[in-house]
Amino acid sequence: MITVERVNKIKGKTPILYDVSFVARPGRVTGFLGPNGAGKTSTLRILLGLDRPQSGVALVCGRPYSGIDRPLTTVGALLDGSGAHRARSARAHLRWVAASNGLPGSRVDEVLEIVGLAGEARKRAGRFSLGMSRRLGLAAALLGDPEVLVLDEPVNGLDPAGIRWMRDFLRERAARGHTVLLSSHLMGELAETADDVVVIAKGRIVTQGVLADVVGDHRTLEDAFFALTEGGGPW
Amino acid sequence: MVSLIRAELHKLLGLPTARIGLLLGTLLSPLVVLVNAPAVRRAGLAGADLGLVELGVGLIGPMILGVVIVSSEFTSTGDDAPRARQLTATLIAVPHRMRLLTAKTAALVLVVGVQAIVAAAATIGLTQVMHGDRVQVPAFGRIAAAALYWVLLALLAYAITLITRNGIVPLTLLIVNSTVVSVSYLLTKVTSAAAYLPDIVGAQMFLQGSDFPVRIAPVTAGLVMTAWIAAFLAVGAVLFHRRDA
Amino acid sequence: MRRVHAELLTLPSWRVTAELLKLLTLPSLLLTAVLTLTTAAVVSWADAEPVPYAQAGFLVLGVLAATDSPVATLIAMPQRLPLHAARALTLGVLALPLAAAAGDALYLTCTTLLAFGVATLVRLPLPSVLTLLGSHFIACPLLRAASTDVAPFLPDAAAGAPSRGLLTTAAWTACALTLSAWSFTRRDAP
């Protein structure tokens, strides 16, 4: 369960999030949808304790992320890139991440296997392609076998087979009762994967709910999205 | 906490630049004793500081280690994602920032502490081999103080890098300041207050040479330097805690 | 060989202009310049020769210029040899007045270009800075102390004796620039 309540964020002098509130429930894939610069990544960074909001709270399983002991066993997160230093091999990166949460080294090879990087384990992260970086980032997110997944644009840089794999993977996680929150600006892709949708534009939540309800009378999620964000928005 | 420190040790020792720092710091001082031996013999030098002065050259090691343990968190991991840095992965794994800093500090102190002991033993030992007929082994307290100076200087580099979030500025500043063209040392020629600058005052913990404008007792010197480092660390920690990652 | 000449002939203005814009809008470069001149002023005020201190800033300047967004630059200007020449030329032109202000126009400009060459070879900023500071502030003084015979052949020879040492420093710089040009044109982009 993820709860974001009335989060406001000002960067420098520019407000970028206004009273952002939404929930992501267990057993469901929640899509966080919005154009570039709408505030998706900023919201997720606040949820993960990387950036600090001016006001409001963002909770994972009822607690702020930074209050969770050994957080990787509860939450798996994937943001921009892999987070691996260029000079480090994929395995060396995962090894320190595992060690920081007291996870056994054997998990490293397991997750490398899951994301299909077992053959590239000794390669330096700086030499990875975009798709491989994303896989490495996902491997780190899966180390603690968490019940909550927070993924920022997870299909960015993946090939069609990778996208399909990711979709099945997330659906299967939700089916096991896990909470999955993923952001995307690709509406077609999101409509295929998500049960619930949260739409953000210009730092404000425009609508949220079950996918079918958000689409409503519109032909597709894309039509609904443009009607919501360009038509009679709240600004 | 133990697992956090282990993770930080993994991270630090896996960096190529850190390994260079480890190597340079450990080998440079003994090497200088060897290279300088003929000149020292010819000049008939036999100061009480022989061996301990040579130990100063190796300080580049602790400086590199102190800088890269922080700067590696802030270097971009790729051109395709300018905000992607190791720090993101670090804070996702260890969101409690003060615990993270504590683990990082402990890892640095451990690595530099061991390095200092090895380097000091090798340098002093080699000085005895080369010049044992004229020079006595320095008192244990002075050798320990020199090792402490290494750890404190690594912490200074670490704290400054926490503030600047970039390794080049502190590395340049500290390397230049540790050589013959030290700005701190130059300032002591202008004002005796400069004797209390962190790197200058710290050297009085173990060096007895007459180059200091103000004589400060070793224990006082150690306390003053520790106070400086504590202040820098406090500022660095507050900024690290407050700033967006 | 003829192709190389043809490429060099296309060196002119727009490449230099682009490089100039790039360097002048780099905050870290401006910061380094300010810090370097401040240090030089403080050192002069303390009645010491500023050049041995200020050279650190010029080394960093060369490294920053060399390691700034090489991939984006190559996409905009794919002909590598003229690009490399334009980058070095621009940096030299920018460094010259700073070097004059810091106390030694020729030596410090040469040192900046030497750093530019080395950093183009090494490619990563921190290891480049480490290599250069290590050579100019640790290795050279140690070698000079160990044997006076080698002193005239060290890359910082001109720092002490401008008239005689400048040739040595210039030779080191030419060497670094040639090697880096060779590497820059041959290797895959970083």
Side-chain angles (χ1 to χ4, degrees):
Chain A
M1 180 84 166
I2 291 168
T3 324
V4 175
E5 266 175 38
R6 303 186 64 92
V7 163
N8 285 278
K9 172 75 181 171
I10 301 167
K11 245 187 200 141
K13 288 196 169 100
T14 324
I16 52 169
L17 296 175
Y18 303 86
D19 275 341
V20 167
S21 304
F22 66 89
V23 293
R25 295 188 173 81
R28 303 184 70 80
V29 175
T30 305
F32 193 24
L33 183 65
N36 293 331
K40 300 186 298 288
T41 302
S42 301
T43 307
L44 297 186
R45 288 180 66 88
I46 288 170
L47 177 65
L48 296 167
L50 294 167
D51 295 353
R52 309 206 186 280
Q54 265 68 32
S55 65
V57 285
L59 306 173
V60 188
C61 304
R63 281 172 299 173
Y65 185 78
S66 56
I68 304 174
D69 192 34
R70 299 173 69 217
L72 297 188
T73 56
T74 310
V75 187
L78 171 66
L79 293 180
D80 242 6
S82 64
H85 193 279
R86 291 156 169 269
R88 245 188 263 286
S89 71
R91 176 179 279 127
H93 173 66
L94 293 172
R95 272 188 60 191
W96 77 254
V97 176
S100 71
N101 274 243
L103 299 165
S106 57
R107 266 307 277 171
V108 169
D109 294 316
E110 287 172 32
V111 293
L112 280 169
E113 195 68 48
I114 294 176
V115 301
L117 280 181
E120 323 283 345
R122 304 182 69 86
K123 202 166 169 176
R124 287 184 173 203
R127 302 196 166 277
F128 274 20
S129 68
L130 182 55
M132 285 159 78
S133 282
R134 303 299 283 169
R135 284 167 188 268
L136 178 56
L138 186 66
L142 297 177
L143 272 173
D145 194 20
E147 59 189 272
V148 178
L149 283 176
V150 177
L151 313 169
D152 193 15
E153 307 275 4
V155 299
N156 239 4
L158 293 187
D159 54 20
I163 293 176
R164 189 191 185 112
W165 176 88
M166 178 69 79
R167 188 191 303 146
D168 294 344
F169 176 79
L170 298 178
R171 296 259 21 116
E172 183 257 340
R173 285 266 154 171
R176 277 205 263 159
H178 291 185
T179 306
V180 179
L181 173 65
L182 73 147
S183 79
S184 183
H185 60 269
L186 304 172
M187 281 165 270
E189 174 51 36
L190 210 65
E192 295 279 310
T193 319
D195 303 301
D196 299 328
V197 182
V198 178
V199 181
I200 188 170
K202 297 183 185 165
R204 290 185 168 89
I205 300 293
V206 182
T207 188
Q208 58 182 307
V210 176
L211 177 66
D213 295 344
V214 171
V215 175
D217 295 335
H218 300 280
R219 204 164 45 85
T220 61
L221 178 60
E222 189 176 315
D223 290 348
F225 174 80
F226 284 115
L228 281 163
T229 53
E230 283 175 354
W235 53 94
Chain B
M1 200 65 206
V2 175
S3 61
L4 288 189
I5 297 172
R6 264 191 46 208
E8 286 301 326
L9 286 172
H10 262 301
K11 258 160 102 173
L12 178 62
L13 300 178
L15 288 169
T17 317
R19 289 185 188 161
I20 291 173
L22 214 53
L23 219 64
L24 282 180
T26 316
L27 299 182
L28 218 48
S29 303
L31 200 70
V32 168
V33 174
L34 273 181
V35 173
N36 279 354
V40 169
R41 283 193 152 287
R42 241 180 291 127
L45 293 174
D49 289 343
L50 200 65
L52 288 172
V53 170
E54 281 74 7
L55 203 50
V57 183
L59 278 169
I60 190 172
M63 289 172 194
I64 294 174
L65 289 164
V67 165
V68 296
I69 197 173
V70 178
S71 69
S72 61
E73 297 281 359
F74 290 99
T75 40
S76 164
T77 52
D79 295 330
D80 46 312
R83 279 202 80 178
R85 306 184 289 203
Q86 183 181 279
L87 186 62
T88 311
T90 300
L91 284 176
I92 285 174
V94 189
H96 198 289
R97 297 190 188 191
M98 285 304 119
R99 287 186 61 190
L100 173 68
L101 270 193
T102 312
K104 252 193 195 313
T105 314
L108 179 65
V109 168
L110 268 174
V111 172
V112 176
V114 171
Q115 182 186 39
I117 291 167
V118 172
T123 309
I124 303 292
L126 209 56
T127 307
Q128 280 306 302
V129 173
M130 309 302 289
H131 314 288
D133 47 337
R134 292 169 300 133
V135 185
Q136 288 190 330
V137 179
F140 176 76
R142 291 178 68 205
I143 301 175
L148 178 65
Y149 184 68
W150 277 44
V151 173
L152 287 174
L153 216 59
L155 286 174
L156 180 66
Y158 167 76
I160 298 178
T161 316
L162 271 179
I163 297 167
T164 60
R165 292 187 284 189
N166 167 306
I168 291 180
V169 175
L171 201 62
T172 308
L173 201 76
L174 289 168
I175 290 184
V176 172
N177 236 16
S178 72
T179 63
V180 277
V181 292
S182 153
V183 178
S184 302
Y185 180 69
L186 182 67
L187 287 177
T188 62
K189 306 281 177 201
V190 182
T191 159
S192 54
Y196 290 92
L197 284 171
D199 47 342
I200 301 287
V201 74
Q204 297 221 28
M205 285 192 291
F206 60 97
L207 292 184
Q208 298 174 339
S210 51
D211 244 5
F212 301 107
V214 185
R215 270 260 149 245
I216 301 168
V219 175
T220 320
L223 289 176
V224 174
M225 185 175 184
T226 309
W228 271 105
I229 308 298
F232 272 103
L233 272 179
V235 174
V238 167
L239 287 176
F240 185 71
H241 189 71
R242 285 236 195 116
R243 287 199 277 223
D244 287 344
Chain C
M1 203 53 208
R2 173 169 287 176
R3 226 187 100 237
V4 169
H5 276 296
E7 280 192 354
L8 274 177
L9 283 177
T10 57
L11 174 65
S13 58
W14 55 275
R15 283 198 178 86
V16 175
T17 314
E19 256 334 286
L20 204 60
L21 282 174
K22 229 173 78 192
L23 291 180
L24 285 176
T25 51
L26 201 62
S28 57
L29 213 70
L30 296 177
L31 178 71
T32 308
V34 171
L35 280 177
T36 307
L37 291 185
T38 314
T39 310
V42 169
V43 171
S44 304
W45 169 75
D47 255 349
E49 172 59 40
V51 174
Y53 296 81
Q55 59 178 342
F58 287 86
L59 290 171
V60 172
L61 225 53
V63 171
L64 291 177
T67 50
D68 172 46
S69 54
V71 172
T73 313
L74 272 173
I75 289 171
M77 297 172 274
Q79 287 159 306
R80 297 195 181 191
L81 195 58
L83 172 63
H84 191 65
R87 295 180 80 187
L89 183 71
T90 316
L91 180 63
V93 169
L94 270 183
L96 197 64
L98 286 175
D104 191 335
L106 289 180
Y107 170 66
L108 290 175
T109 305
C110 274
T111 303
T112 311
L113 291 174
L114 173 76
F116 174 80
V118 171
T120 305
L121 281 167
V122 178
R123 303 213 238 189
L124 296 168
L126 206 62
S128 306
V129 169
L130 207 56
T131 311
L132 290 159
L133 290 179
S135 94
H136 279 63
F137 285 86
I138 297 175
C140 287
L142 280 179
L143 288 173
R144 197 168 284 124
S147 145
T148 45
D149 299 341
V150 298
F153 302 103
L154 296 172
D156 64 347
S163 48
R164 279 181 303 138
L166 196 59
L167 202 64
T168 313
T169 301
W172 277 91
T173 304
C175 231
L177 285 177
T178 312
L179 266 178
S180 67
W182 178 80
S183 131
F184 191 67
T185 47
R186 290 296 179 86
R187 278 199 290 185
D188 290 345

